[in-house]
């Protein structure tokens, strides 16, 4: 059974690491072991706790980008009404890119989640894959720097030449004009790598966005928009587990974890969108390699 302090720590950790490209699942597997917490991470109650924190993260992302989602829904409605996607309709294009990216992430998640987590969900393996995650981020940044910028994508790491930070409609338009349907499909499929503890969902989708011609800021924005339906749908599908009578005694801890996750997710989103206006994935790559090596060594020593 998870106590209130553990719920608060793990909830905050999940909300932060779900959006930072450093793997929330990997940290949820590794840190309880390092803290010496006697938690059965395969127990239904622990998995249900993770559902509660993921649902809170998805709700926060939806609220954070609410203006965008309203325009996206309107754009999707216009495209259905007109039976076409107008090249000048930014939000219709963006909406269908998100639908396209959600399909592989949803299907692969449903089919592969249990076997992959059963195979790889050990703290030692998660630490090893955290190192792999860091190397993937390093590689993506090197490949992005060598690539020729796409038409429709602005500077790879900075704001527009005029000096104003790119946000809202400007960023959405650049995403819509840079990504193709096939690339959106690839970005969505890349998220399935996050089923392996240690591989980051946001990191995988950002890497897919970078390799498709987006800059760091817009890759992060598309990643967060894409994560909203993917995380939210997965959590809602498992909502009956959260509301089952068997979990009644632990709902207080679940609520604490969800609230801490929501607060962390809000500030993480706000920070990262500003961070990626001028910065890259490199600091997170360094962290993943260094932390993964430390965690791996510590667990070998402690057994």
């Amino acid at each position: 059974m998870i106590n209130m302090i553990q719920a608060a720590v793990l909830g905050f950790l999940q909300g932060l690491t779900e959006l930072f490209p450093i793997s929330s699942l990997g940290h949820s597997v590794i840190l309880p072991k390092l803290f010496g917490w006697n938690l059965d991470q395969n127990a239904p109650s622990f998995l249900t706790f993770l559902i509660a924190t993921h649902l809170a993260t998805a709700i926060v992302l939806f609220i954070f980008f609410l203006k965008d989602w309203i325009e996206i829904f309107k754009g999707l409605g216009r495209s259905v009404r007109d039976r076409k996607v107008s090249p000048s309709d930014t939000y219709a294009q963006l909406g269908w890119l998100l639908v396209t990216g959600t399909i592989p992430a949803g299907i692969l998640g449903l089919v592969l989640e249990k076997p992959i987590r059963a195979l790889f969900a050990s703290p030692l393996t998660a630490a090893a894959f955290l190192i792999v995650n860091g190397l993937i981020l390093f590689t993506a940044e090197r490949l992005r720097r060598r690539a020729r910028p796409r038409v429709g994508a602005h500077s790879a790491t900075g704001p527009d030449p005029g000096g104003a930070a790119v946000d809202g409609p400007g960023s959405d338009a650049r995403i819509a004009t840079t990504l193709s349907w096939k690339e959106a499909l690839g970005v969505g499929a890349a998220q399935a790598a996050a089923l392996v503890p240690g591989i980051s969902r946001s990191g995988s989708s950002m890497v897919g966005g970078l390799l498709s011609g987006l800059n760091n800021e817009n890759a992060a924005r598309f990643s967060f928009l894409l994560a909203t339906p993917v995380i939210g749908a997965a959590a809602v599908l498992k909502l009956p587990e959260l509301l089952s009578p068997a979990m009644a005694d632990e709902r207080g801890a679940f609520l604490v974890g969800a609230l801490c996750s929501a607060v962390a997710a809000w500030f993480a989103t706000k920070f990262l969108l500003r961070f990626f206006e001028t910065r890259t994935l490199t600091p997170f790559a360094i962290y993943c390699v260094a932390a993964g090596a430390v965690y791996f060594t510590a667990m070998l020593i402690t057994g």
Side-chain angles (χ1 to χ4, degrees):
M1 178 181 265
I2 188 168
N3 63 41
M4 293 294 184
I5 294 175
Q6 292 168 342
V9 172
L10 291 176
F12 184 84
L13 182 72
Q14 193 281 326
L16 196 67
T17 56
E18 181 68 42
L19 302 174
F20 278 65
I22 57 175
S23 180
S24 64
L25 185 57
H27 283 78
S28 295
V29 170
I30 293 168
L31 293 184
K33 172 71 172 177
L34 290 181
F35 292 157
W37 292 347
N38 186 26
L39 293 177
D40 181 1
Q41 295 170 339
N42 292 315
S45 60
F46 187 79
L47 297 177
T48 305
F49 170 79
L50 293 181
I51 293 168
T53 58
H54 278 79
L55 181 59
T57 300
I59 292 171
V60 163
L61 283 173
F62 183 75
I63 293 171
F64 194 97
F65 292 104
L66 182 58
K67 290 182 180 179
D68 297 80
W69 281 112
I70 291 172
E71 295 302 323
I72 288 167
F73 290 140
K74 288 180 180 178
L76 289 172
R78 286 191 297 271
S79 67
V80 171
R81 179 196 65 198
D82 299 338
R83 298 184 181 180
K84 67 177 183 178
V85 179
S86 171
S88 62
D89 194 335
T90 291
Y91 286 104
Q93 292 182 63
L94 180 57
W96 285 111
L97 287 172
L98 290 169
V99 170
T100 303
T102 299
I103 291 170
I107 293 174
L108 292 172
L110 286 173
V111 173
L112 299 176
E113 179 182 17
K114 287 185 179 179
I116 287 180
R117 289 192 181 181
L119 187 61
F120 294 111
S122 76
L124 199 62
T125 306
F129 275 105
L130 192 60
I131 297 172
V132 173
N133 187 70
L135 296 176
I136 291 171
L137 300 183
F138 269 127
T139 303
E141 282 292 353
R142 289 182 64 86
L143 292 174
R144 179 192 59 75
R145 287 176 186 141
R146 293 178 183 176
R148 182 176 298 175
R150 297 272 194 91
V151 174
H154 68 291
S155 168
T157 59
D160 273 349
V166 179
D167 196 12
S171 289
D172 292 335
R174 286 180 175 86
I175 294 168
T177 56
T178 300
L179 287 184
S180 69
W181 308 115
K182 289 182 180 179
E183 288 165 341
L185 199 68
V187 173
Q191 287 202 56
L195 297 172
V196 178
I199 303 296
S200 166
R201 182 194 308 275
S202 61
S204 298
S205 54
M206 277 195 69
V207 165
L210 290 177
L211 298 182
S212 298
L214 294 177
N215 72 350
N216 291 79
E217 181 193 0
N218 291 335
R221 189 178 189 87
F222 186 70
S223 172
F224 295 161
L225 287 169
L226 187 60
T228 307
V230 173
I231 300 173
V236 168
L237 284 173
K238 295 183 179 180
L239 202 57
E241 299 175 28
L242 184 62
L243 300 176
S244 69
M247 299 297 162
D249 292 340
E250 302 202 56
R251 283 193 194 128
F254 294 167
L255 180 60
V256 168
L259 289 173
C260 290
S261 178
V263 171
W266 181 272
F267 286 105
T269 305
K270 198 173 183 68
F271 170 80
L272 289 171
L273 288 176
R274 181 63 62 181
F275 179 88
F276 284 123
E277 287 175 7
T278 55
R279 307 289 181 86
T280 70
L281 288 168
T282 302
F284 304 106
I286 294 170
Y287 167 80
C288 287
V289 172
V294 170
Y295 296 155
F296 191 87
T297 303
M299 280 177 287
L300 282 179
I301 292 172
T302 59

